[in-house]
Amino acid sequence: MAGIRSAALPSPRRPDLPACGGGEGRHGDRTRLWYENVLGWPTVPGVPPRLVVGVRFDVLDVPAEAGGAALERLGGAARGFPVALQGDRMRLLIAAGGADELPGLLEWLEWGGLGLDLRALGEGRLMDAPAPWTAGAGPGLPRGRPDAGRPGEEGLCGRDSPQGAAVWLRPPEPGREAEASLPTLSAMGTRSPRGVGDGPPDLVRLVNTVATQIHRVRLRRSGAGAAVHGVGQPLAFS
């Protein structure tokens, strides 16, 4: 996707899913069953089906360009938690309850009052459910082809996801407790199967990194606009 720098996210493991066929209704049913049966995440039927936020996870919703830059800045820690993309927005999954912490964190980190394009989705909100078989997409995909996947992989349902559909940049991993991979407030460092301090970034670091990149993108765009219109430029004399 244009404008998103590579965050060097590893290719996720591809889940085992039933064969395709049967149109939008069955496609949505398979998606819902995967989330409910494999991850235990509550869903809401529809086209597309949606995930219930605030029960097993909350979401940071950020501009995709700034989100991609933040993941690059976080380096190896970016591999530790699920990240989805939809259009020009990136959704970073965090521990349930994290959305309530965002306003206070922004104030404490001195980002409050700047009107950053950073939203938190918590209890009572919904998120479009990315089809699990589109996993493998990542930063650098061309706009309008979020389901391109890795070279040589068609995905279970082929490359037929509708334009603008939500896709996983890094999906939640089956076979483990999803909450263990989600950024949360922690005074002791986050934990992964490899040990303490080797998991995802804590929520403070994640919010500060994302906010910094959103602010940088805004300043860069403001500077480019000023240059185009000659604002603040010295007069040229012949």
Side-chain angles (χ1 to χ4, degrees):
M1 177 175 176
I4 305 180
R5 294 176 292 174
S6 172
L9 296 178
S11 298
R13 184 173 65 218
R14 197 174 174 191
D16 294 326
L17 294 164
C20 279
E24 292 282 357
R26 289 182 60 188
H27 179 100
D29 288 343
R30 282 192 306 276
T31 298
R32 291 183 57 231
L33 287 173
W34 188 83
Y35 284 107
E36 292 180 351
N37 294 339
V38 176
L39 297 180
W41 289 3
T43 66
V44 173
V47 180
R50 291 174 290 177
L51 301 172
V52 178
V53 179
V55 178
R56 300 291 298 275
F57 63 89
D58 285 356
V59 175
L60 293 182
D61 183 288
V62 307
E65 181 180 0
L71 294 181
E72 182 179 16
R73 178 70 63 175
L74 289 167
R79 302 185 182 97
F81 62 98
V83 179
L85 180 71
Q86 185 167 20
D88 62 354
R89 306 295 299 184
M90 188 175 285
R91 278 94 188 240
L92 311 174
L93 270 60
I94 61 175
D100 294 335
E101 305 289 346
L102 182 63
L105 280 179
L106 290 174
E107 289 295 332
W108 184 66
L109 294 166
E110 299 185 351
W111 289 112
L114 295 181
L116 296 179
D117 187 7
L118 170 59
R119 301 192 292 266
L121 310 180
E123 186 176 1
R125 303 296 297 273
L126 300 171
M127 166 185 161
D128 285 1
W133 46 88
T134 60
L141 290 175
R143 187 179 297 275
R145 290 300 305 278
D147 59 328
R150 286 174 286 180
E153 285 197 357
E154 291 293 325
L156 184 68
C157 296
R159 302 188 177 197
D160 58 355
S161 295
Q163 182 171 334
V167 294
W168 287 115
L169 300 183
R170 179 171 179 84
E173 297 236 3
R176 69 176 183 177
E177 287 296 321
E179 285 85 351
S181 71
L182 302 178
T184 184
L185 289 176
S186 172
M188 301 297 294
T190 52
R191 178 184 294 273
S192 79
R194 294 180 296 274
V196 175
D198 201 22
D202 69 18
L203 190 59
V204 175
R205 181 184 177 194
L206 178 61
V207 168
N208 191 49
T209 304
V210 170
T212 298
Q213 298 307 319
I214 292 173
H215 188 56
R216 285 179 176 173
V217 169
R218 183 164 64 179
L219 289 177
R220 185 170 65 249
R221 290 178 176 174
S222 297
V228 168
H229 293 91
V231 177
Q233 298 298 312
L235 295 175
F237 296 93
S238 59

